[in-house]
């Protein structure tokens, strides 16, 4: 009987391996000090859209540019803690909030007007078009982020386009695996956010 029990236990399947969970890290561990004398005007931040819905899940995606650049593939044992668009939006809001009040687009008009002295704040809309670990060669890869940013003003007759720009940023990966891709995508996201922040300040 003991032998049968031991044999039965050995036949049990192994526990499934839990996928590694990634995010962008804790961010600054101390509150950054702004050098601006006065804060920038308040800004409303819309949810980031993902055309085609490919990035609506938590998969960490890679693309083999040297073999089949049109095919996005997921790492089997790696996941983001939330969909990439939400991670990018969270990181962007943290960065922009250092110099200005950042509201959620669609919040009550009374709240928006009270923040910006009776004027509705401009709205920043973003589309996340690419967010992948891109391999130009088996031993050469980058974290690739591509965003389309649109800045609009809300008027009584509807939204008025103020400016629009595409941002494409890549940062080298230190390893050809999910961990290397995540680190590269984090660095590329932070660089893209810095470019977006500078661009917003240049729009009249």
């Amino acid at each position: 009987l003991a032998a049968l029990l031991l044999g039965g236990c050995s036949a049990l399947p192994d526990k499934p391996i839990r996928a590694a969970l990634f995010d962008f890290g804790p961010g600054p561990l101390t509150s950054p000090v702004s050098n601006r004398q006065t804060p920038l005007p308040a800004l409303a931040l819309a949810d980031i859209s993902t055309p085609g819905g490919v990035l609506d899940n938590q998969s960490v995606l890679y693309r083999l540019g040297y073999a089949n650049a049109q095919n996005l593939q997921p790492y089997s044992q790696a996941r983001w803690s939330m969909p990439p668009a939400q991670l990018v939006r969270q990181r962007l809001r943290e960065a922009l909030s250092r110099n200005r009040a950042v509201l959620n687009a669609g919040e009550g008009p009374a709240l928006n007007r009270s923040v910006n002295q009776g004027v509705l704040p401009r709205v920043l809309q973003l589309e996340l078009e690419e967010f992948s670990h891109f391999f130009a060669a088996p031993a050469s890869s980058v974290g690739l982020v591509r965003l389309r940013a649109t800045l609009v003003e809300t008027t009584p007759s509807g939204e008025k386009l103020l400016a629009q720009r595409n941002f494409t940023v890549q940062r080298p990966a230190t390893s050809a695996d999910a961990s290397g891709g995540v680190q590269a995508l984090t660095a590329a996201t932070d660089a893209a956010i810095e470019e977006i922040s500078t661009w917003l300040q240049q729009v009249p």
Side-chain angles (χ1 to χ4, degrees), residues 21-24 48-50 53-61 79-91 128 131 189:
L21 200 63
F22 294 96
D23 60 18
F24 288 159
I48 298 179
S49 62
T50 54
V54 179
L55 299 172
D56 287 343
N57 56 63
Q58 293 169 245
S59 298
V60 179
L61 300 173
R79 297 286 185 274
W80 293 107
S81 61
M82 61 182 72
Q86 295 181 29
L87 284 170
V88 173
R89 187 182 187 278
Q90 183 181 69
R91 195 78 154 189
L128 184 60
F131 194 80
T189 298

Side-chain angles (χ1 to χ4, degrees), residues 11-159:
L12 292 175
D14 292 335
K15 292 182 179 179
I17 300 175
R18 179 175 296 180
L21 200 63
F22 294 96
D23 60 18
F24 288 159
L29 299 181
T30 57
S31 299
V33 178
S34 173
N35 295 324
R36 296 190 62 86
Q37 297 295 325
T38 58
L40 294 167
L43 181 74
L45 182 60
D47 290 337
I48 298 179
S49 62
T50 54
V54 179
L55 299 172
D56 287 343
N57 56 63
Q58 293 169 245
S59 298
V60 179
L61 300 173
Y62 67 92
R63 194 189 291 273
L64 302 180
Y66 60 90
N68 187 357
Q70 289 73 39
N71 185 22
L72 274 172
Q73 302 180 58
Y75 282 106
S76 60
Q77 296 300 326
R79 297 286 185 274
W80 293 107
S81 61
M82 61 182 72
Q86 295 181 29
L87 284 170
V88 173
R89 187 182 187 278
Q90 183 181 69
R91 195 78 154 189
L92 176 62
R93 179 166 186 151
E94 290 173 358
L96 296 179
S97 295
R98 296 169 193 163
N99 294 315
R100 67 172 83 220
V102 180
L103 308 172
N104 294 321
E107 285 182 344
L111 173 60
N112 289 347
R113 288 194 178 93
S114 68
V115 172
N116 208 22
Q117 299 180 347
V119 179
L120 287 170
R122 294 175 170 183
V123 179
L124 176 62
Q125 303 168 348
L126 292 169
E127 294 181 15
L128 184 60
E129 299 178 340
E130 181 73 20
F131 194 80
S132 67
H133 186 189
F134 180 81
F135 287 82
S140 176
S141 62
V142 298
L144 178 60
V145 176
R146 188 167 63 249
L147 288 154
R148 180 191 298 273
T150 303
L151 187 65
V152 300
E153 186 177 56
T154 303
T155 68
S157 58
E159 291 183 344

Side-chain angles (χ1 to χ4, degrees), residues 1-12:
L1 180 60
L4 288 173
L5 288 173
L6 289 174
C9 290
S10 63
L12 292 175

